[in-house]
Amino acid sequence: MSPHWSQAEPGDYAVIGDPIDHSLSPRMHSAAYRADGLNHAYRAIRVPAGEVSEALPALQAKGYRGLNVTVPLKEEVFAYVREQGWRVSPSDLEYGAVNTLLLAERTALNTDVLGFLRTLQAQAVTPGASVLLLGAGGTARALLVGLVRAGYRVAAWNRTPERLTTLIAELQLPISPLTHPDPAGVEAVINTTSASLTGEAVSVPWEGRPILAYDVAYAQTLTPFLASAQAAGCRVTDGRAMLVEQGAMAYEAWLRRPAPRAAMLKALDEHF
Ligand code: NDP
């Protein structure tokens, strides 16, 4: 079981969150160190919500140089680094969440959004294309900003419509809210809901065009969203490539060398 931050052994890099036992980041980063002949230790450390301001200095004192941040801490860490005057790029400020910290440099980054955009383009859905995003939570917020800024035409749908309209009003971006998750006219449907984590389906009326269905979640088998898309003749991709890309970008920020992406993806695939 992953230790609470107060009990963590010294190390070099870690992912923090709660719960954190399920995280695949230690597996992925350790594989990258092995591939590059490095001897660093990457751990999973439990940091409950509300303990970020105590945990970060304590982990730095134990020798940690970089941290990845996951559920439920991305917004809390964002607020902390803002309050402490850390360096955050203007685009990352707009995303409202960070997932990568360079402790000595007091710098925070969001590698989720750029990682996601790179994987979307790798699937031949390029800026200018129309996309439909499902969800209005923390991930949706960051990806909506990233998609619009990158030049995509964006429609969005959420189970609770008020949450989406509030988000769009707050972001002040040209995003069309839909009353149904209707993929007519789009090149990709991006699922950022947490429905897949509980094995639930978001019911999309696929039209039989070979568009891309992209679920940012990942699981042992196709998520219900991806299974329905594949059955309707869509191309499908899950969140594994995004996980690798955001991890690779963190690796590059910390170690200032190209990340061994193939070794990182292989480590994930071996797990599934
Ligand atoms: P949030 O809790 O912030 O948002 C959850 C969203 O899911 C809300 O829009 C909610 O709608 C919706 N939702 C939940 N259950 C259902 C359902 N049964 N049907 C329809 N909509 C539903 O979650 P996050 O944004 O933090 O995370 C979302 C997903 O993104 C997770 O699966 C997470 O694992 C994944 N993720 C993957 C990453 C990667 O590297 N691949 C990186 C980051 C996140 P409502 O408003 O109606 O409640």
Side-chain angles (χ1 to χ4, degrees):
M1 225 171 77
S2 309
H4 183 261
W5 60 267
S6 58
Q7 313 287 322
E9 283 179 56
D12 304 294
Y13 301 96
V15 59
I16 59 168
D18 185 28
I20 198 63
D21 287 339
H22 67 283
S23 174
L24 296 173
S25 290
R27 171 183 291 269
M28 190 170 73
H29 282 273
S30 300
Y33 302 150
R34 275 197 303 280
D36 277 352
L38 301 170
N39 207 14
H40 299 315
Y42 186 108
R43 305 189 195 287
I45 298 174
R46 193 166 69 82
V47 175
E51 298 182 17
V52 161
S53 61
E54 289 172 276
L56 293 194
L59 291 174
Q60 189 174 3
K62 286 180 199 252
Y64 287 89
R65 299 195 287 275
L67 299 176
N68 281 137
V69 181
T70 188
V71 180
L73 303 178
K74 288 183 191 178
E75 284 83 7
E76 184 180 338
V77 168
F78 181 77
Y80 173 81
V81 300
R82 293 291 288 144
E83 191 187 288
Q84 297 287 318
W86 287 34
R87 260 194 301 276
V88 185
S89 76
S91 56
D92 291 354
L93 277 182
E94 221 185 342
Y95 303 145
V98 290
N99 71 321
T100 302
L101 304 178
L102 288 74
L103 296 177
E105 296 86 344
R106 291 166 57 82
T107 298
L109 313 169
N110 183 317
T111 66
D112 280 335
V113 177
L114 196 50
F116 164 77
L117 290 172
R118 285 184 180 174
T119 59
L120 186 63
Q121 293 191 32
Q123 294 288 335
V125 180
T126 51
S130 291
V131 299
L132 166 61
L133 184 139
L134 312 178
T139 305
R141 179 198 169 98
L143 297 192
L144 283 170
V145 175
L147 283 164
V148 173
R149 294 289 180 233
Y152 290 89
R153 282 174 290 162
V154 183
W157 170 87
N158 192 47
R159 179 179 62 178
T160 310
E162 303 76 35
R163 187 170 179 194
L164 178 63
T165 40
T166 305
L167 178 63
I168 293 175
E170 195 187 315
L171 294 176
Q172 296 197 314
L173 293 175
I175 297 161
S176 316
L178 302 185
T179 50
H180 301 286
D182 181 0
V186 303
E187 286 182 38
V189 181
I190 301 148
N191 183 18
T192 74
T193 74
S194 45
S196 303
L197 297 181
T198 49
E200 290 171 80
V202 182
S203 173
V204 175
W206 302 108
E207 299 174 309
R209 286 186 300 124
I211 63 174
L212 175 71
Y214 189 145
D215 199 333
V216 301
Y218 40 85
Q220 211 83 29
T221 54
L222 281 187
T223 64
F225 166 80
L226 293 182
S228 71
Q230 191 174 62
C234 297
R235 296 181 286 131
V236 297
T237 189
D238 71 8
R240 250 175 276 185
M242 176 178 170
L243 183 67
V244 168
E245 196 53 37
Q246 63 77 29
M249 290 171 67
Y251 182 100
E252 289 169 349
W254 292 328
L255 295 167
R256 302 192 183 288
R257 57 191 290 167
R261 286 171 173 72
M264 296 169 87
L265 184 58
K266 185 162 173 272
L268 287 189
D269 285 344
E270 279 167 4
H271 168 81
F272 284 105

